[in-house]
Amino acid sequence: MIYVRILVSLLVLYLLYRLIRRFLLRRETGYLPGRRRNGEELVQDPQCGTYIPISDARELELNGVKVYFCSRECMEKYIIKA
Ligand SMILES: [Zn+2]
């Protein structure tokens, strides 16, 4: 009956591992901006091509057209290029 005990403890360990992993994953994804801002409009940074939630984006108006950037660096690079 030693095999049954080994099997049972392996199963328990596996289930524990799954539980811990799920807990850690949930904690990690909780910090993702995409999870918190469901349904918010995404805008594309024309400099690096990244999509950012509109509330996180830096807004710039160029010739009456609004352009959004992920960071100041991208905005500056884009202005120098334009
Ligand atoms: Zn960018």
Side-chain angles (χ1 to χ4, degrees):
M1 277 296 134
I2 187 98
Y3 293 112
V4 177
R5 280 173 63 181
I6 291 170
L7 268 174
V8 168
S9 37
L10 277 177
L11 193 76
V12 169
L13 276 175
Y14 175 70
L15 287 174
L16 266 173
Y17 165 76
R18 293 256 321 237
L19 266 172
I20 291 165
R21 224 179 71 128
R22 196 185 296 174
F23 177 70
L24 288 176
L25 279 175
R26 195 182 298 162
R27 276 188 50 172
E28 274 171 29
T29 51
Y31 292 108
L32 278 179
R35 279 289 173 102
R36 272 190 282 122
R37 304 188 179 99
N38 268 339
E40 191 180 347
E41 194 186 340
L42 289 176
V43 286
Q44 191 179 20
D45 181 327
Q47 177 61 32
C48 66
T50 310
Y51 284 92
I52 352 110
I54 202 157
S55 61
D56 278 355
R58 270 140 231 266
E59 193 183 301
L60 176 77
E61 207 171 309
L62 268 179
N63 309 317
V65 182
K66 276 183 182 171
V67 202
Y68 297 93
F69 299 94
C70 70
S71 61
R72 239 188 82 167
E73 288 78 53
C74 280
M75 189 163 62
E76 281 166 359
K77 279 184 204 164
Y78 189 83
I79 294 168
I80 292 165
K81 247 184 21 177

